[in-house]
Amino acid sequence: MPWRSKSENGRAASREPIENVLGQSLVIRGDLTADGGFRIDGTVEGNVDSKAAIVVGESGVVRGDLRGTDVVVAGQIMGNVTCSGHLEILAKGRIEGDIDAKSVRIETGGVFRGTSRMGEEVSGRSAVVSTDAGSSLSGRHLSPVA
């Protein structure tokens, strides 16, 4: 499956509609759960669980675990990220926690600190991490590509 193309404004294009938008001035203390997608531009102090895509905008902060299908991070996540599809960390994105995804792409300037598990069968597959020059990876281990 190819990576999503970027729209003209530099944001990753999404195939499914975002039903839930959390604005920049919003602060939520508690867990969020939805069948539809999320766009987070505010602060969430709790876990986020969606059966669809999740986009964390540049001003977005999540202090808790995040679970969705495809995840795009331009803001900050301080917690573990689990996605059944693709995880993309954009240039200003930062994840401090473990990731579990089918595949991962990190743009130049994106930061990931933690352990990664990737592939179709997470427990038995090798990791594939795609980074641009200048990206920062810091983890306890990254499995070799098979």
Side-chain angles (χ1 to χ4, degrees):
M1 177 185 255
W3 292 103
R4 282 176 261 135
S5 61
K6 289 187 180 178
S7 61
E8 289 180 15
N9 64 6
R11 294 184 181 143
S14 178
R15 292 182 211 145
E16 42 192 62
I18 300 294
E19 294 180 4
N20 307 290
V21 178
L22 307 177
Q24 189 172 358
S25 63
L26 184 67
V27 176
I28 293 182
R29 291 179 181 88
D31 296 343
L32 298 174
T33 303
D35 288 337
F38 281 104
R39 174 162 179 105
I40 301 170
D41 289 313
T43 300
V44 177
E45 295 178 359
N47 299 325
V48 179
D49 191 359
S50 174
K51 294 180 181 173
I54 300 174
V55 175
V56 179
E58 285 187 22
S59 61
V61 177
V62 176
R63 292 185 186 99
D65 295 342
L66 189 136
R67 177 184 300 268
T69 55
D70 292 327
V71 177
V72 178
V73 181
Q76 298 181 43
I77 299 175
M78 284 144 286
N80 299 327
V81 177
T82 303
C83 57
S84 57
H86 304 288
L87 169 64
E88 187 167 4
I89 304 173
L90 301 181
K92 294 184 179 180
R94 178 182 200 91
I95 296 177
E96 294 185 19
D98 297 342
I99 58 175
D100 185 345
K102 184 176 178 181
S103 61
V104 173
R105 179 174 182 269
I106 303 174
E107 282 187 352
T108 301
V111 176
F112 162 61
R113 290 197 177 132
T115 300
S116 65
R117 293 185 312 188
M118 291 168 273
E120 294 290 336
E121 297 175 26
V122 173
S123 61
R125 294 287 303 254
S126 300
V128 177
V129 178
S130 171
T131 63
D132 294 330
S135 296
S136 173
L137 290 177
S138 172
R140 291 185 289 277
H141 74 276
L142 290 174
S143 301
V145 176

